[in-house]
Every structure is written in C-alpha cells, then in structure tokens.
Amino acid sequence: MRVLISADMEGATGATWPGDVLPGTPGWSRMRRMLTSDVNACVAGLLAGGAAEVVVNEAHDTQRNVLIEDLDPRARLLTGRHKPLGMMQGIEDADAVVFLGYHTGAGVHGVLAHTYLGAGLTGFRIDGEPADEGRMNALTAAEHGVPVLLVTGDDLTCAAAARWAPGARTAAVKECVSRYAALCLPPERSAELIRDEARAAAAAALNGERPAPVTGPHRFEIDFHATHQAEAVAAVPTVELTGPCTVAYTAPSATRAARTFKVCTVVASAAAEQGYG
C-alpha cells in the first residue's frame, strides 16, 4: 500500500498566526520544525500500520516547508511549486491519502481559516454545498478511487472532515479559540496522537476494499471580497459572473474543476488592490 501525505501548514501543531506560515518569517522558520514533526509522526504510524511506501507532497504556499534533513528517511518528499495537481500531486499513483495540517475554509470559524487565498475569497461551494480545500481535494481523491485515511488539523477541521471524508480518522492537534488563537497540544503529545491514528488508519485500510472511482461533473461557486475580483475572474474560459462578487463554472471532473479553481484564485489575487482589496 502506497500512501500519499498531502501536507499543508496552517493545521500543523502550534501554528496560529499568519507569521507562523508565511515563508521567510521567523515564525515560519520555527514552525517548519513543527510541521516536519507532524509529518514524521504520520510516516511512522502509517508504516507501523502496514503501509509499504509513503510519499509526502508539500501542499503549502511555496511548497518548500518540510525540513528534508529532518524527514524520516523511510519517506520520500515531493517538494516545489507548479506541480500539475498541486496539493494532490501523486494521487494518481497512491492507494490511500492523508490530509495533514489542513484547515477550515473561508468564511467559517477555524484557526487560520481560508481557501487558497489568505484574504479576498469569502465563500466557496461545490455542488451547492459549503466547501473548503479538504472537500475539493477529497473529490479529486475519489475520482482516482483513493480513500482519505486520516485528516489532521484543528478540532473544527476534523469536524468538517466528517462531512467530506466520513470514513477517515482524525487527529485534532489544537482546539480553535479564534482565527488566530488555539489551545494547542505540545509537539510530543500531538506526535503521539498523529502516530496512533495513522497506524490505526493504515491497518484498517489494509483490511478493507479500495473504493471504486467516483466520476462526474461538478459545479463550483466562488465568492470574492470585491466586485472587480469577480469581474477579472469571469475572463477565465468556462467561468461566468453570477452575482456582483460571485463566479461559477461547471467542469466535467473533479480534477478539471480543481485546476480551474486554482486559475481563478491566481487571477483574483492579481486583481486585488493593496489599499482597497
């Protein structure tokens, strides 16, 4: 069993503030060790549970956050930007996937809650249901017939995962107090929790059947902070303006929908004005 770990950073142990996850800041330098510790705990648990191979795909910002010199030598690291499937690169060769360090989406409660953009994107729906990065990535996994084994992050992320990955185990490494505050487990305790849940998830997956791929079209709707962002994004092929600050599109597959979503966020970010948003 080959397991892919999609490793984001906002949901890592101890991360609660933008400076904790913005590359180049002192906080980020420190939190890289916390993220690497979470990843190593997950790798150890997966292998103890019967996984034969673990690949870690960096999924945060510049996608150069995990300290490879401290990485469990039994894993391999997929690092760097501009990967065709982004956060889900490697899913096509995986038998199972873990969403590590994930977070809740824009417009809802959660530590460092957002969807792709730190600001500007205020709401996101897939097929009429409230969505976040986890739901979008779970659809991509399902399209490849790959089950989500484990989700780690704050308590609200773990609760959200029950809706889009009901078969996954969860590990809450912190409890949300506000968007920028949390009651956090120390690294030693969060590592033990992640390791135990990963081991149990891998063992259960070995004894279960891999699900059949789930294919089909999906409707994505995105709300932005300002009208000019939505208007700029509406220039993307297949995307239509459906409200003053809202765009929508229908894609034939989850993978295509996710790729279009990434383009939309890049355009929206470029359209933002420093003083007015």
Side-chain angles (χ1 to χ4, degrees):
M1 181 172 67
R2 184 188 191 194
V3 183
L4 175 71
I5 299 176
S6 174
D8 207 349
M9 196 169 187
E10 286 86 358
T13 294
T16 61
W17 185 250
D20 291 338
V21 297
L22 291 174
T25 64
W28 169 77
S29 296
R30 174 170 167 260
M31 285 299 159
R32 295 179 74 187
R33 298 198 303 273
M34 300 298 101
L35 173 61
T36 305
S37 174
D38 286 1
V39 167
N40 282 341
C42 189
V43 171
L46 291 171
L47 294 173
E53 182 181 359
V54 179
V55 173
V56 182
N57 178 31
E58 292 234 24
H60 175 71
D61 203 279
T62 59
Q63 299 169 24
R64 297 177 184 275
N65 307 283
V66 173
L67 296 169
I68 192 169
E69 60 269 32
D70 294 333
L71 182 66
D72 188 315
R74 296 172 294 178
R76 290 191 295 161
L77 182 65
L78 178 54
T79 184
R81 297 185 68 181
H82 308 308
K83 294 169 288 198
L85 294 181
M87 298 179 77
M88 296 300 286
Q89 187 68 33
I91 194 66
E92 64 275 19
D93 297 319
D95 299 304
V97 64
V98 171
F99 293 168
L100 183 140
Y102 271 46
H103 51 83
T104 54
V108 302
H109 292 295
V111 179
L112 293 168
H114 70 285
T115 305
Y116 267 62
L117 301 179
L121 195 156
T122 60
F124 177 36
R125 293 167 297 285
I126 298 177
D127 300 329
E129 296 292 329
D132 51 25
E133 293 170 20
R135 183 184 287 274
M136 179 168 59
N137 292 344
L139 285 174
T140 299
E143 188 171 88
H144 289 82
V146 177
V148 180
L149 297 189
L150 172 66
V151 178
T152 82
D154 71 3
D155 57 326
L156 299 183
T157 302
C158 292
R163 297 190 289 273
W164 43 258
R169 300 183 73 92
T170 59
V173 301
K174 51 197 170 191
E175 296 178 18
C176 176
V177 175
S178 73
R179 194 181 188 207
Y180 299 133
L183 182 62
C184 301
L185 291 176
E188 185 176 349
R189 290 179 59 189
S190 62
E192 181 180 8
L193 174 64
I194 293 171
R195 186 167 51 248
D196 289 347
E197 293 296 338
R199 180 172 57 244
L206 280 176
N207 296 320
E209 293 185 4
R210 182 167 172 171
V214 179
T215 59
H218 294 286
R219 179 76 169 174
F220 278 33
E221 299 173 90
I222 312 169
D223 302 325
F224 293 104
H225 163 71
T227 57
H228 68 279
Q229 289 180 298
E231 290 164 352
V233 171
V236 176
T238 75
V239 177
E240 60 181 327
L241 193 66
T242 59
C245 298
T246 302
V247 300
Y249 61 91
T250 300
S253 68
T255 300
R256 180 70 63 84
R259 285 179 168 177
T260 302
F261 181 85
K262 183 177 180 179
V263 173
C264 290
T265 58
V266 169
V267 172
S269 179
E273 299 292 341
Q274 184 174 0
Y276 285 79

